[in-house]
């Protein structure tokens, strides 16, 4: 435990140097031990993978040609004259003109597809038409093995392979090992009967051209066998004349090695699912030894370079990490001592640079929070001072107002009594025993009394309505947030319009927050005035700090409300103003859902 504690107490620079040296030495030792075990296996796997990919490309090319042959059989089978020829019975003599057109039609295919050696069409009566083939008149082509195999497959395209013992001759006189035959029976879809067979010979030269240029190593090559293991293509002087079919039977692909004529040969094969042909790569296993020696040379050279430059590189890398960390630690110690103006200035894009930028952001945030805290404390002291001033002998004020109300009722001036009563309630709620958070009902009672007083002054020119959802009864709000807004609505809206005006106050829940809207149909604002007011609201906290400038300007009460809301709950809450000149103004106040006067927030600002 003491030993590990001592290691943990080492400076990070020495730890990093030790770490880099260790990770440099261990690979050298491991590479020296594993090089003879792994390089040959890895290289063999790589050669096998590359050869399989090469064989896959070759198979794709062969499948393209065979697929083209299949398409040709369908094109021929869909030809109207060919269908008429295939459907003819023994009693109907073939039309020479139709036969000539069919032959010309077949010649078009051999012209467009030079890989086609010849095309033969045989109907069920044994009659045939071809552009290259001819058969003895005594020969019944329906008895040929290729014809019967096509019939047995009932319209499915079939690869016969190299022809053997068939009763056909070619005008070009292709030998059997120079072509590959494919067949397809044409079936009547209604009677489900075979009408005839289409036979096409593919030139073996096309297959040879696809395979002959592919070399595996110095002496390796590709060969092609059919599904019976018979050679379709094999180069001259092969390393092995015939690959026993049992070596590859039942496998779609694979690799293996065999001892052939005292030489170790590597075999890589892959079967085409479309043609059922297998392409086999054959090359001597010893040809990979040269590549292994070359790889060993490069590995030894690499290890030597690591031994030479390992210490210098480890020292450089350790300094590039430890020095910025040490610098950052120095700044953190200064921040711990209260110097929040220090900044990490090195330009880096790695994790240390990100940590430095986060450190700078943290200090800026601390400074901001400290300024905000100072401002809140200042606002709190101002509020306490105002509260103390407002509470100077409040009972004397209440008693005086009660006396005035009693005298007014005695003189039967009820309107004066109601105004005095509203004023008394207004002051009583305003004092609120020094509380900053009051119930929504108290705040609404406050503005009701205020509106009642203003109603006495403006009479029929001022009308108002207050709508509150029942679910809002138990909520709390900051004191004195509605009166400044309603005061602006009266003096800058209703007062400036002609005829009677209306003020509507609505409190409702909106997206898990409390929404209070004050609407008036007064004079409204111009677009410029609206933009200036919105800008002022966005800077409410900063503007209210300088009270000497702001108190004399219009809208101080509104900015004061905005600043108090955002200082209490955050910038996500506050006022939003919409106005149209000569149409009126709507002010929406978004507040959290406070369930008591301690300031607990039920919903978040959206």
């Amino acid at each position: 435990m003491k030993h590990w504690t001592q290691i943990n107490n080492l400076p990070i620079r020495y730890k990093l140097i030790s770490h880099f040296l260790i990770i440099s030495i261990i690979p050298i030792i491991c590479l020296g031990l594993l090089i003879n075990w792994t390089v040959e296996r890895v290289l063999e796997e790589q050669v096998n993978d590359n050869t399989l990919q090469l064989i896959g490309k070759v198979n794709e090319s062969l499948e393209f040609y065979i697929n083209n042959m299949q398409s040709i059989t369908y094109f021929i089978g869909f030809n109207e004259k060919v269908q008429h020829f295939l459907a003819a019975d023994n009693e109907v003599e073939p039309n020479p003109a139709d036969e000539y057109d069919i032959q010309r039609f077949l010649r078009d295919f051999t012209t467009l597809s030079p890989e086609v050696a010849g095309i033969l069409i045989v109907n069920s009566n044994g009659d045939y038409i071809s552009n290259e083939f001819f058969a003895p008149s005594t020969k019944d082509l329906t008895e040929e093995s290729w014809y019967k195999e096509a019939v047995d497959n009932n319209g499915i395209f079939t690869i016969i392979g190299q022809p053997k013992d068939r009763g056909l001759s070619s005008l070009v006189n292709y030998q059997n090992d120079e072509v590959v035959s494919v067949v397809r029976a044409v079936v009547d879809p209604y009677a489900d009967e075979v009408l005839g067979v289409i036979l096409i010979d593919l030139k073996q030269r096309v297959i040879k051209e696809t395979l002959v240029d592919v070399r595996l190593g110095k002496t390796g090559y590709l060969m092609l066998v059919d599904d019976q293991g018979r050679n379709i293509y094999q180069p001259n002087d092969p390393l092995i004349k015939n690959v026993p079919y049992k070596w590859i039977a039942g496998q779609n692909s694979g690799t293996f090695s065999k001892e052939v004529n005292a030489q170790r040969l590597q075999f890589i094969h892959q079967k085409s699912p479309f043609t059922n042909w297998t392409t086999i790569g054959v090359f001597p296993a010893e040809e990979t030894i040269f590549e292994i020696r070359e790889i060993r040379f490069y590995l030894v050279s690499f290890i030597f370079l690591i031994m030479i430059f390992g210490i210098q590189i480890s020292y450089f890398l350790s300094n590039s990490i430890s020095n910025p960390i040490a610098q950052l630690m120095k700044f953190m110690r200064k921040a711990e001592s209260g110097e929040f103006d220090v900044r990490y200035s090195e330009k880096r894009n790695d994790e240390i640079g990100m940590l430095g930028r986060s450190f700078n952001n943290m200090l800026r945030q601390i400074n901001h929070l400290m300024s905000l805290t100072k401002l809140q404390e200042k606002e709190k002291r101002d509020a306490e001072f105002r509260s103390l001033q407002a509470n100077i002998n409040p009972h004397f004020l209440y008693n005086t107002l009660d006396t005035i109300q009693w005298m007014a009722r005695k003189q039967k001036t009820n309107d004066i009594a109601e105004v005095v009563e509203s004023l008394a309630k207004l002051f009583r709620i305003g004092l609120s025993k020094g509380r900053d958070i009051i119930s929504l009902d108290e705040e609404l009672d406050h503005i009701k009394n205020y509106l009642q007083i203003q109603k006495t002054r403006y009479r029929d020119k001022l009308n108002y309505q207050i709508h509150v959802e029942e679910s809002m009864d138990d909520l709390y709000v900051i004191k004195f947030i509605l009166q400044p807004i309603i005061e602006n609505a009266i003096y800058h809206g209703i007062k400036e319009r002609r005829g009677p005006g209306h003020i509507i106050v609505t409190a409702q829940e909106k997206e898990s927050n409390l929404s209070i809207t004050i609407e008036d149909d007064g004079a409204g604002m111009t677009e410029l005035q609206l933009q200036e007011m919105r800008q002022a609201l966005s800077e409410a906290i900063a503007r209210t700090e300088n009270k000497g400038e702001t108190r004399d300007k219009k809208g101080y009460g509104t900015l004061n409300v905005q600043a108090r809301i955002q200082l209490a709950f955050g910038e996500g809450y506050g006022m939003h103003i919409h106005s149209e000149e000569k149409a009126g103004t709507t002010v929406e106040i978004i507040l959290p859902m406070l369930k008591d006067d301690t300031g607990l927030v039920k919903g978040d600002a959206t």
Side-chain angles (χ1 to χ4, degrees):
M1 178 63 68
K2 183 177 179 181
H3 175 69
W4 285 110
T5 303
Q6 291 175 348
I7 291 178
N8 291 334
N9 290 332
L10 286 175
I12 190 171
R13 175 182 300 177
Y14 300 133
K15 292 180 182 179
L16 290 172
I17 291 175
S18 302
H19 170 73
F20 289 133
L21 287 177
I22 290 174
I23 65 173
S24 299
I25 293 173
I26 290 179
I28 293 174
I29 298 174
C30 293
L31 286 173
L33 294 174
L34 297 177
I35 190 170
N36 292 324
W37 300 342
T38 59
V39 171
E40 185 175 356
R41 177 179 56 82
V42 170
L43 184 60
E44 182 179 350
E45 290 179 356
Q46 187 177 22
V47 170
N48 292 344
D49 291 341
N50 292 338
T51 304
L52 282 174
Q53 292 179 8
L54 187 61
I55 291 174
K57 296 296 182 182
V58 170
N59 285 343
E60 288 179 4
S61 299
L62 296 176
E63 289 173 359
F64 170 78
Y65 289 117
I66 299 301
N67 186 65
N68 189 41
M69 298 298 103
Q70 183 181 23
S71 300
I72 291 174
T73 62
Y74 284 108
F75 277 119
I76 294 173
F78 291 148
N79 183 272
E80 184 178 353
K81 292 184 179 181
V82 172
Q83 291 180 350
H84 184 267
F85 169 76
L86 293 174
D89 53 28
N90 291 325
E91 298 178 358
V92 179
E93 290 293 331
N95 188 341
D98 289 345
E99 290 185 7
Y100 175 76
D101 290 340
I102 293 174
Q103 287 178 343
R104 187 173 62 181
F105 176 61
L106 299 181
R107 280 194 295 272
D108 291 340
F109 283 108
T110 55
T111 302
L112 295 174
S113 302
E115 67 270 16
V116 177
I119 304 174
L120 175 73
I121 304 174
V122 182
N123 63 17
S124 58
N125 300 325
D127 298 328
Y128 71 92
I129 299 176
S130 176
N131 62 333
E132 292 288 343
F133 297 109
F134 60 90
S137 57
T138 58
K139 187 71 174 181
D140 186 1
L141 296 181
T142 60
E143 297 298 325
E144 291 280 305
S145 60
W146 53 267
Y147 185 94
K148 293 179 179 180
E149 187 171 351
V151 172
D152 292 340
N153 286 310
N154 197 28
I156 299 175
F157 180 80
T158 306
I159 301 174
I160 301 298
Q162 294 179 342
K164 184 179 180 181
D165 300 330
R166 69 181 182 184
L168 292 173
S169 299
S170 173
L171 295 177
V172 186
N173 196 24
Y174 286 110
Q175 301 300 316
N176 289 342
D177 59 352
E178 295 179 338
V179 295
V180 174
S181 298
V182 297
V183 294
R184 187 181 71 85
V186 180
V187 180
D188 185 347
Y190 301 104
D192 195 24
E193 295 179 354
V194 175
L195 301 178
V197 172
I198 300 173
L199 178 141
I200 301 177
D201 275 357
L202 173 67
K203 296 177 182 178
Q204 199 260 4
R205 172 178 56 81
V206 175
I207 299 175
K208 179 179 179 181
E209 291 174 351
T210 304
L211 299 176
V212 70
D213 293 332
V214 178
R215 308 302 300 176
L216 304 180
K218 295 182 178 179
T219 59
Y221 58 86
L222 293 180
M223 59 182 297
L224 187 66
V225 299
D226 61 14
D227 56 353
Q228 302 297 323
R230 295 171 297 189
N231 290 342
I232 296 178
Y233 166 76
Q234 188 179 52
N236 298 326
D237 300 325
L239 297 174
I240 180 173
K241 291 185 177 181
N242 294 291
V243 176
Y245 187 65
K246 63 182 180 179
W247 290 358
I248 59 175
Q251 303 178 48
N252 292 326
S253 63
T255 61
F256 59 90
S257 59
K258 295 288 184 180
E259 191 81 22
V260 178
N261 299 327
Q263 185 181 23
R264 195 72 178 176
L265 298 181
Q266 188 76 13
F267 296 88
I268 303 176
H269 63 93
Q270 188 178 67
K271 187 176 183 179
S272 170
F274 182 71
T275 62
N276 284 330
W277 293 345
T278 301
T279 304
I280 305 174
V282 184
F283 59 92
E286 63 184 12
E287 290 186 358
T288 60
I289 295 178
F290 176 77
E291 286 79 3
I292 294 175
R293 290 176 179 173
E294 187 176 4
I295 291 175
R296 287 176 180 173
F297 171 77
Y298 287 124
L299 285 174
V300 171
S301 300
F302 175 72
I303 292 171
F304 181 72
L305 291 175
I306 291 178
M307 294 293 294
I308 292 177
F309 299 106
I311 296 177
Q312 291 86 345
I313 294 174
S314 63
Y315 183 79
F316 171 77
L317 292 176
S318 63
N319 283 339
S320 68
I321 297 174
S322 61
N323 288 344
I325 293 177
Q327 184 182 12
L328 194 57
M329 289 174 59
K330 180 180 178 181
F331 291 151
M332 288 182 176
R333 291 193 185 100
K334 289 183 177 181
E336 287 176 356
S337 63
E339 298 182 31
F340 296 112
D341 294 331
V342 297
R343 294 292 184 269
Y344 179 82
S345 59
E346 187 172 352
K347 304 296 183 182
R348 301 173 65 103
N349 293 324
D350 58 3
E351 289 81 358
I352 298 176
M354 295 172 62
L355 182 61
R357 289 189 289 273
S358 298
F359 174 74
N360 293 341
N361 292 334
M362 180 187 69
L363 292 182
R364 282 192 289 268
Q365 188 68 17
I366 289 174
N367 285 330
H368 174 71
L369 292 175
M370 289 177 63
S371 300
L372 189 61
T373 302
K374 291 178 181 178
L375 178 61
Q376 288 177 330
E377 290 295 328
K378 186 174 181 296
E379 292 285 339
K380 183 177 180 181
R381 287 195 299 271
D382 291 344
E384 290 173 351
F385 179 73
R386 291 193 297 269
S387 178
L388 289 174
Q389 285 184 322
N391 279 284
I392 296 175
N393 204 5
H395 295 288
F396 174 77
L397 177 61
Y398 296 154
N399 293 336
T400 302
L401 291 174
D402 287 339
T403 300
I404 295 172
Q405 180 186 7
W406 175 77
M407 292 173 64
R409 292 192 183 278
K410 184 177 181 180
Q411 297 295 326
K412 298 183 179 180
T413 54
N414 293 331
D415 51 350
I416 297 176
E418 290 176 358
V419 171
V420 172
E421 183 180 6
S422 297
L423 182 60
K425 291 181 179 178
L426 194 71
F427 281 117
R428 186 177 295 110
I429 295 174
L431 293 173
S432 303
K433 298 180 182 179
R435 291 178 293 144
D436 292 326
I437 304 293
I438 63 175
S439 68
L440 179 60
D441 286 339
E442 289 179 296
E443 180 71 8
L444 293 176
D445 286 340
H446 179 75
I447 64 169
K448 287 177 184 176
N449 294 321
Y450 176 76
L451 286 169
Q452 183 63 36
I453 294 172
Q454 296 291 357
K455 175 72 173 176
T456 303
R457 176 183 177 184
Y458 290 99
R459 298 188 180 277
D460 294 337
K461 186 174 180 63
L462 174 63
N463 300 281
Y464 64 89
Q465 298 177 16
I466 299 176
H467 304 289
V468 183
E469 291 184 354
E470 294 182 359
S471 59
M472 305 288 104
D473 293 340
D474 59 343
L475 298 183
Y476 287 78
V477 297
I478 297 176
K479 182 171 61 178
F480 290 159
I481 60 173
L482 297 182
Q483 180 184 334
I485 312 302
I486 294 176
E487 184 177 349
N488 284 341
I490 294 174
Y491 286 105
H492 303 297
I494 303 301
K495 183 178 178 182
E496 301 296 331
R497 65 162 283 153
R498 293 183 179 179
H502 299 79
I503 294 178
I504 302 175
V505 180
T506 306
Q508 59 185 347
E509 182 176 352
K510 182 178 180 181
E511 297 180 358
S512 299
N513 291 312
L514 171 60
S515 171
I516 304 176
T517 58
I518 299 95
E519 303 177 61
D520 69 73
D521 55 359
M525 303 182 193
T526 64
E527 185 64 26
L528 178 60
Q529 291 173 329
L530 178 61
Q531 294 301 326
E532 290 177 350
M533 193 62 196
R534 287 176 174 172
Q535 180 66 25
L537 288 177
S538 66
E539 302 170 356
I541 296 177
R543 293 196 182 194
T544 53
E545 288 182 10
N546 192 345
K547 291 183 169 54
E549 289 185 9
T550 315
R551 283 196 183 278
D552 297 332
K553 297 181 180 179
K554 293 181 179 179
Y556 172 76
T558 304
L559 296 182
N560 182 276
V561 171
Q562 178 80 338
R564 286 195 293 136
I565 292 174
Q566 292 188 344
L567 286 172
F569 305 119
E571 295 184 358
Y573 298 95
M575 291 187 292
H576 305 279
I577 297 181
H578 304 277
S579 183
E580 185 176 347
E581 191 174 8
K582 298 181 181 180
T585 301
T586 300
V587 178
E588 181 181 19
I589 303 176
I590 300 297
L591 298 169
M593 305 279 280
L594 298 183
K595 304 300 290 186
D596 53 46
D597 58 0
T598 61
L600 295 176
V601 180
K602 176 184 176 183
D604 295 330
T606 56

